[in-house]
Amino acid sequence: MTLELILVGFGNVARRFASLLDERRARLAGEHDLDIRTVGIVTRRHGHAFAARGLDAAALANRVARGGPLVASRPSGDRSASSSVDFIRDAIDRRARTAYERCLVMVETTTLNILSGEPAIAHVRAALGGGAHVVTANKGPAAFAYHALARMSHRADRRFLFEGAVMDGVPVFNLAREALPGIEVLGFRGVVNTTTNYMLNAMEQGQAFDEALVEMQAMGVAEADASLDIDGWDAAAKTAALANVLMDASLTPQRVERRGITRDLMHRAIDARRAGRRLKLVARAGYEGSKITARVAPEELPGDDLLASLDGQQNALILHTDLLGEIAIVQRSGGLTQTAYALLSDLITIARDVGTARATPQPRPRAPRGRSR
Ligand SMILES: NC(=O)c1ccc[n+]([C@@H]2O[C@H](COP(=O)([O-])OP(=O)(O)OC[C@H]3O[C@@H](n4cnc5c(N)ncnc54)[C@H](OP(=O)(O)O)[C@@H]3O)[C@@H](O)[C@H]2O)c1
C-alpha cells in the first residue's frame, strides 16, 4: 500500500520525520508492505512545493536545514498558495483519488499559538473536510478542539491521530485507545515538560536559571518561545489534551490552573534536594465532585515518588484508573527522533486501518456514573 503525505510545517520535527522515513523505507516495505510518499510541503516563510509523483523530502529537509528555501525557483505550472489552508485544499483536490481511497494523510507540525490552538485547528479541519487523514505532533488540536475534531474525523471516516503531542513517541494515547478498552481514567499526574524538568534539576545543583535555560535552547529542546515552557503553558496544553482525550473533559490550556517556574525557586529546589525531596513541575487532573479540574504547578515531592526520580530530560505520566489502579508511563529519553517516530507510528496505524478496511473508531465514550464534564 502507498500512503501519500502533505506536510504542513517543515521545521525540526518534520525534517527529522522526512529523514526517518528514508532510513526506515526498507523496513516499512518488508514489515508493513507500506510505501510512504510525500507529495506536498507547505511552510510559513520557506515557500511550498508540490509534485504528484513525489518529492525528495529528505533532500529538501537538508536544504531547508542549511537555511535555503524549499524550492529554489517555482516550477512552471505550480499554483501559488495564498495560505496554508488553501495549499491543503488544493493539494487534496489534486490527489482526490488518493483521498477517496483513504490513502492521503496531512502531517501537521506547525508552531502553536497557545491562545487559540491555531493555525493547526484550521489545518486539521481543512484536511478532514477534504478526505485526508490527520497525523500531528501539535498539542493545539487536542488541547483546544478535541471533541469537535474527533466527531468530524468519525463522520468523515478519516483518522485524527496525535501521539507526538505528549511525551514525544512514548505511547500514551495509543496505550489508552488500543490497550485499555473498557477502562475509565479517573485522573492523572505527571511531569510532561522537558525544559522545566531539566532546569529544576540543574537549579537544585546550584546552576543558575538562565544558564540552564540557555542549555535547553542550545539543544533545541525549549519551545521557540521559551516562556511557553517556563510559564507552564506547554504543560497546561498537554494537560488539557490528556484530560480531553483520556477523561472526556472539555478543557483548554486557559482553563488549567497554571503556575510555572521562576528564578526564586532555586533555594527551594536546593533545600528540597538536601532534605531528600525534589521540586518538580507537576501536571495533574482529576475529579472534584462531578467536575474535572486540572492544574500545573511546582510541587515538592517525597524522594520515593516515581516523579521525584526523573532526572534531566525525563518525563513520566501516572494514570489513575478504575480497574487497574495506577499505571505509570516513563520516558527516559525524548527528542526529535522520538517525536518523528510518533508521527510514523500513527501512519502505520492508518495503513493498518486502510488495509483491513477498518472504519474510523468512535472517540472514547463519555464518562459513566453521571459525571459531567
Ligand atoms: N521539537 C520537539 O521536540 C517537539 C516535540 C513534540 C511536539 N512538538 C510540536 O511539534 C510542532 C513542530 O515543532 P518544531 O520543533 O518542528 O517547530 P519548528 O522547528 O519551529 O517548525 C515549525 C514549522 O511550522 C511552519 N509554520 C508555522 N506556521 C505555519 C503556517 N501558518 N502555515 C504553514 N507552516 C507554518 C514553520 O514554517 P517556517 O519555518 O517557514 O516559519 C516551520 O516549518 C510544534 O507544534 C511543537 O510544539 C515538538
Side-chain angles (χ1 to χ4, degrees), residues 10-13 43-46 84 109-111 137 139 168 339:
F10 202 50
N12 294 308
V13 170
T43 67
R44 181 175 39 187
R45 296 165 304 189
H46 289 83
S84 42
T109 56
T110 63
T111 12
K139 298 167 275 291
D168 300 340
T339 307

Side-chain angles (χ1 to χ4, degrees), residues 40-101:
I41 304 177
V42 62
T43 67
R44 181 175 39 187
R45 296 165 304 189
H46 289 83
H48 59 273
F50 180 90
R53 67 187 180 288
L55 296 161
D56 186 345
L60 292 173
N62 280 333
R63 181 193 289 174
V64 172
R66 287 198 304 268
L70 200 48
V71 276
S73 62
R74 190 167 288 159
S76 60
D78 184 35
R79 294 180 230 174
S80 66
S82 54
S83 76
S84 42
V85 168
D86 288 343
F87 180 90
I88 294 165
R89 290 195 179 125
D90 187 49
I92 293 175
D93 270 1
R94 294 192 198 193
R95 303 309 295 153
R97 178 150 196 93
T98 313
Y100 176 76
E101 289 167 348

Side-chain angles (χ1 to χ4, degrees), residues 7-15 41-47 64 83-85 108-113 118-120 123 136-140 164-169 220-224 228 234 238 334-340 343:
L7 306 186
V8 180
F10 202 50
N12 294 308
V13 170
R15 295 198 301 265
I41 304 177
V42 62
T43 67
R44 181 175 39 187
R45 296 165 304 189
H46 289 83
V64 172
S83 76
S84 42
V85 168
E108 216 287 350
T109 56
T110 63
T111 12
L112 171 65
N113 177 332
E118 297 292 0
H123 294 156
T136 182
N138 198 315
K139 298 167 275 291
V166 177
M167 287 172 73
D168 300 340
V221 176
E223 290 283 330
L228 293 182
D234 174 76
K238 288 170 177 166
L336 289 176
T337 298
Q338 286 82 350
T339 307
L343 298 171

Side-chain angles (χ1 to χ4, degrees), residues 27 47 82 89 142 214 231 241 249 267 332:
R27 198 164 174 157
S82 54
R89 290 195 179 125
V214 167
D231 296 342
H267 294 298
R332 294 282 180 213

